[in-house]
Amino acid sequence: MSTAFAVQASEPDNYYGYRRFKKGAFEFHRDEYFVHIRWPKGTHTMAADIFLRALQRDIAWNFFYGTVNFDGVFGTLNHYGTVDMFAGRFNDAYRKAGRDYNETYKSEDLMATFKAILEDWTNRGYDPFAAPEETKQPYGRKDGDNKRAIERQRVTAKRMVGLPGDTPQRSDAGGYPVNRHFADVPQDQPEVYPEPGFEGEVSAFNLFAYLSRSDVTWNPSVCSVVKDSLYCPTSEEFILPVEHGNDRVEWFMQLSDEIIWEIKRKETGAPRARVVCRAGDICAMPADIRHQGFSPKRSMLLVWENNSNAIPALIESGKAPVVPVVF
Amino acid sequence: MTDVKTVFGSLRNYQKGGVEVIDDDPRNYVFSNVFEVAEKSQPYERVAVGKNFDYVIEALRAEGTSPWYACAHDEFALVMDGRVEVRLMKPETPLVPSDKSGALRLTAAPSGRKMGRVVAGRGHMTLLPKGSAYQFHADQPSVVTIQTIQGDVTVERWADICQTK
């Protein structure tokens, strides 16, 4: 049985047209360009597009693995059932000054407020999942909505894309045209010759063609599953809208083009490295960092996750290392 | 005609990136390139290029005909370069204990029923179904990555393949 969680929202502002929202001691409001966040120990301002693109991912990923930093100050930390919303929690200066603040909610409770904010603050024609060149601007006073764009579901194959009963392949007819940046990607399909009785098991699909038809950016989708090993490929363009601080090691295999990653310390935000990934490169993101990617052209990235629920506690307790391999 | 150029890698043409250290050890990122690994490997050597607890991604150079393998769980083969035929068999009796992880190399072709075959090119992903046996064949050197669990055939040589400084 599902529980409806109350969302504290004001009437629309007389001038800007947007509602104000309150969750616990956090308050949110937006104007034509900016989102303003207030908590008992401080205030924070973000550009509306940066906030909305981050909020869209946090919702689509169900708070994802670990920390989703909307920027260097505001974000969420997933405890898988409950979630923290914080300000300054992963910012060295805020911590030292005692200006950081944190509240914990049931995940569905905070999700209800986040979805209400996203729905109210996303205007007609603006798609937070899209690359900047593919969408209208999010600025200005309240102007309609874009529910069709923000309610897209994250794809999660149970075994492999294209298998009977599993996530279908993408096609023009299904509403997934080839993206403009992947117009040269071959759309051929593997030759599959099953013997009678094995039609459902002898199976293959063109992953690169599938990715070339993705209508979202920075939204990993499960395409193949080996127990807790999840292949989550995605198409990337412009900037990863969050600084992701994982609670486990994740891996990136660059399938096409190039992404530059900025790596910072998870707890403080201090720079550690830049990682340049080109086609065929594969690398780990340690469990004690946060990362943000920059993709000059739309590119294909294979995000590889270990979905085991046991890992965060193992790393937190020091029983498992923050790096996947020691050599 | 489009003037867009999507850059994929290949055995003959790849441009490796790398780790630019600010305050770190590049080994933390276990950075390698699957084409470079395949270029320097023996045919069908299954070299781990990614590892997350028991799970691995193996990179292999497909060239000629491989041994037969069997596995108790699903695996997935993604062709990164070239063209590879995957031949699938259903063994008469299970060849691998159900609790054994990773692929097992068979000493000979298994007896059983033919399941079928797949001819896969660049970007094509093929299911290697649990409980089956399979064999690869490539007329020209090709590159395949496999999503699997670490097993007897998995080769680890991280210091040789990864950026260390």
Side-chain angles (χ1 to χ4, degrees):
Chain A
M1 186 172 160
S2 64
T3 306
F5 290 96
V7 174
Q8 283 186 270
S10 72
E11 291 301 310
D13 182 87
N14 282 340
Y15 181 79
Y16 294 115
Y18 299 110
R19 298 179 191 274
R20 291 169 174 257
F21 293 86
K22 192 164 188 268
K23 187 68 196 164
F26 282 95
E27 295 177 14
F28 302 85
H29 75 274
R30 78 158 285 188
D31 53 33
E32 292 196 50
Y33 288 114
F34 300 110
V35 167
H36 306 275
I37 306 170
R38 177 183 296 275
W39 63 97
K41 299 178 184 177
T43 60
H44 187 53
T45 302
M46 299 176 65
D49 62 329
I50 293 174
F51 180 85
L52 291 174
R53 288 191 293 118
L55 183 65
Q56 175 70 86
R57 270 64 180 192
D58 214 12
I59 291 170
W61 302 339
N62 197 22
F63 303 117
F64 212 33
Y65 298 111
T67 312
V68 174
N69 297 285
F70 285 39
D71 63 2
V73 175
F74 180 79
T76 60
L77 172 59
N78 197 355
H79 301 296
Y80 311 98
T82 63
V83 60
D84 292 351
M85 179 161 63
F86 61 78
R89 164 69 181 82
F90 293 94
N91 182 304
D92 203 32
Y94 277 70
R95 292 294 294 272
K96 285 177 177 168
R99 300 290 295 274
D100 57 304
Y101 186 72
N102 187 90
E103 289 189 2
T104 305
Y105 315 91
K106 286 185 177 176
S107 299
E108 303 96 317
D109 188 10
L110 183 59
M111 183 62 75
T113 295
F114 272 15
K115 284 183 174 177
I117 295 173
L118 183 67
E119 182 177 327
D120 190 66
W121 291 1
T122 300
N123 286 328
R124 184 196 332 270
Y126 177 63
D127 181 356
F129 270 129
E133 274 207 353
E134 298 181 310
T135 182
K136 289 185 177 177
Q137 297 293 321
Y139 307 123
R141 296 194 220 176
K142 174 75 174 168
D143 176 23
D145 60 48
N146 196 356
K147 290 182 186 174
R148 187 198 61 78
I150 64 176
E151 291 176 355
R152 278 176 290 201
Q153 297 292 310
R154 185 182 178 211
V155 174
T156 51
K158 292 184 281 294
R159 192 178 186 194
M160 186 183 81
V161 168
L163 284 170
D166 213 321
T167 298
Q169 297 190 46
R170 294 172 177 147
S171 64
D172 289 345
Y176 293 97
V178 175
N179 184 270
R180 76 201 196 289
H181 272 188
F182 290 138
D184 60 335
V185 172
Q187 299 294 310
D188 62 310
Q189 287 297 322
E191 299 170 30
V192 180
Y193 305 102
E195 296 291 332
F198 293 106
E199 292 83 355
E201 284 201 275
V202 179
S203 184
F205 76 109
N206 187 338
L207 174 65
F208 290 1
Y210 180 84
L211 291 172
S212 75
R213 294 174 178 273
S214 171
D215 63 343
V216 294
T217 61
W218 307 102
N219 191 33
S221 300
V222 180
C223 282
S224 59
V225 179
V226 178
K227 300 184 179 180
D228 277 324
S229 163
L230 307 181
Y231 264 16
C232 310
T234 163
S235 63
E236 321 292 48
E237 184 177 339
F238 194 52
I239 303 172
L240 173 60
V242 305
E243 294 182 0
H244 180 210
N246 216 333
D247 58 9
R248 66 196 72 203
V249 171
E250 68 179 345
W251 283 79
F252 295 151
M253 182 158 69
Q254 194 69 34
L255 300 176
S256 84
D257 305 289
E258 177 182 283
I259 296 178
I260 302 115
W261 296 97
E262 283 192 355
I263 314 295
K264 301 174 181 175
R265 293 191 190 285
K266 183 161 73 177
E267 289 293 327
T268 66
R272 283 178 54 161
R274 280 165 55 87
V275 180
V276 179
C277 286
R278 301 194 179 113
D281 288 342
I282 180 168
C283 65
M285 292 288 119
D288 59 350
I289 60 107
R290 67 177 81 172
H291 57 267
Q292 185 167 39
F294 302 79
S295 186
K297 173 194 170 295
R298 205 175 188 92
S299 67
M300 298 182 188
L301 173 69
L302 174 60
V303 178
W304 179 43
E305 300 281 2
N306 185 331
N307 195 45
S308 168
N309 293 332
I311 292 175
L314 288 172
I315 290 176
E316 187 83 22
S317 65
K319 291 177 181 170
V322 295
V323 294
V325 182
V326 177
F327 59 96
Chain B
M1 279 293 284
T2 176
D3 61 354
V4 169
K5 177 66 177 168
T6 300
V7 178
F8 295 107
S10 69
L11 271 173
R12 291 185 175 180
N13 186 12
Y14 63 89
Q15 284 193 304
K16 195 176 172 183
V19 181
E20 301 172 11
V21 167
I22 298 168
D23 180 18
D24 214 332
D25 181 340
R27 285 175 292 196
N28 290 334
Y29 299 90
V30 201
F31 190 104
S32 69
N33 180 285
V34 300
F35 302 113
E36 184 177 67
V37 170
E39 186 182 32
K40 296 175 179 175
S41 297
Q42 295 299 310
Y44 298 109
E45 210 178 9
R46 297 171 63 141
V47 181
V49 292
K51 182 175 181 177
N52 205 331
F53 289 84
D54 297 338
Y55 300 105
V56 291
I57 297 175
E58 299 168 337
L60 61 88
R61 175 191 183 95
E63 186 174 3
T65 303
S66 79
W68 281 90
Y69 300 97
C71 192
H73 51 78
D74 282 344
E75 299 174 287
F76 297 91
L78 175 62
V79 175
M80 297 291 290
D81 181 30
R83 195 168 178 80
V84 179
E85 181 173 301
V86 183
R87 301 160 180 165
L88 292 160
M89 292 280 293
K90 192 72 170 179
E92 286 173 351
T93 56
L95 299 174
V96 184
S98 61
D99 60 349
K100 184 168 179 61
S101 294
L104 199 66
R105 180 177 172 160
L106 306 179
T107 53
S111 56
R113 289 175 64 194
K114 281 187 179 177
M115 295 177 70
R117 63 191 180 91
V118 173
V119 181
R122 185 168 68 191
H124 297 173
M125 174 179 275
T126 302
L127 167 65
L128 308 172
K130 60 184 176 183
S132 68
Y134 60 88
Q135 180 186 54
F136 300 111
H137 175 82
D139 289 334
Q140 302 295 326
S142 302
V143 179
V144 179
T145 57
I146 300 180
Q147 178 188 8
T148 184
I149 303 176
Q150 185 166 10
D152 297 352
V153 298
T154 308
V155 175
E156 289 188 278
R157 50 166 183 261
W158 301 103
D160 294 334
I161 67 170
C162 293
Q163 181 178 341
T164 56
K165 56 186 177 182

